[in-house]
């Protein structure tokens, strides 16, 4: 089942398991998404597991809860461009994080290994801060070209 495989992959890189499963189920959901009960049935899990997962995903702005006057139960659906929005809005965080990591390294300057680790990590985040705007621009260009082609 592809959604379970995709959930396993993002879980392997640190995303919590149940939110990963719920997110992948919602990617494969029909128009209008799923109710919490439908997600539980689809995934074979309890309502409590779904509740915690949807709360987590809503906090990250990956999914949204949709209430409709003609339906008793709310539905959940993936927010279009959620990953794009998350990556684009987090770009300034990388530089700020690099600064904090520099401070940690400086506070432990007597420990050469800690200083090296902090320096390498800070440089990685600075690299991401420089490259992320370029990557976002590339994505927007590619997406616009695809929309024109369709």
């Amino acid at each position: 089942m592809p959604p379970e495989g995709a959930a396993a992959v993002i879980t392997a890189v640190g995303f919590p398991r149940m939110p990963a499963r719920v997110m992948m189920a919602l990617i494969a959901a029909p128009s209008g998404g799923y109710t919490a009960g439908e997600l539980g049935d689809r995934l074979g899990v309890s309502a409590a597991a779904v509740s915690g997962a949807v709360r987590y995903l809503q906090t990250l702005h990956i999914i949204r809860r949709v209430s409709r006057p003609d339906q008793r139960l709310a539905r959940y659906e993936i927010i279009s461009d959620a990953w794009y929005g998350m990556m684009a809005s987090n770009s300034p965080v990388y530089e700020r994080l690099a600064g904090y990591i520099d401070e940690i390294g400086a506070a432990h300057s007597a420990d050469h290994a800690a200083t090296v680790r902090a320096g390498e990590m800070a440089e990685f985040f600075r690299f991401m801060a420089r490259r992320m705007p370029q990557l976002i621009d590339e994505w927007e260009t590619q997406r616009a070209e695809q929309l024109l082609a369709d």
Side-chain angles (χ1 to χ4, degrees):
M1 168 185 266
E4 288 294 328
V9 170
I10 64 172
T11 298
V13 295
F15 205 85
R17 183 175 181 269
M18 189 52 57
R21 292 182 70 208
V22 168
M23 182 173 61
M24 292 305 145
L26 287 172
I27 287 172
S31 179
Y34 287 128
T35 66
E38 290 168 338
L39 282 165
D41 291 344
R42 179 169 172 81
L43 299 172
V45 298
S46 70
V50 169
S51 175
V54 297
R55 226 180 2 263
Y56 180 83
L57 293 168
Q58 286 177 299
T59 300
L60 295 178
H61 305 288
I62 294 172
I63 69 168
R64 69 176 149 241
R65 183 177 188 260
V66 179
S67 297
R68 295 193 174 97
D70 60 327
Q71 295 178 350
R72 187 174 61 91
L73 300 174
R75 303 183 80 72
Y76 296 95
E77 60 187 20
I78 289 284
I79 297 172
S80 295
D81 292 339
W83 289 108
Y84 163 82
M86 189 184 325
M87 298 300 288
S89 67
N90 284 336
S91 185
V93 172
Y94 297 130
E95 189 64 44
R96 197 167 52 231
L97 184 55
Y100 287 132
I101 293 168
D102 283 337
E103 290 176 21
I104 293 168
H108 295 85
S109 61
D111 183 344
H112 179 70
T115 303
V116 169
R117 275 192 308 272
E120 288 175 354
M121 187 178 285
E123 282 309 307
F124 172 75
F125 285 115
R126 282 191 183 89
F127 171 80
M128 295 299 292
R130 285 189 309 271
R131 287 289 293 140
M132 192 55 64
Q134 296 166 355
L135 291 171
I136 296 298
D137 287 346
E138 288 174 30
W139 168 247
E140 289 173 345
T141 299
Q142 178 181 323
R143 188 171 63 175
E145 289 170 357
Q146 288 173 334
L147 289 173
L148 288 174
D150 291 340

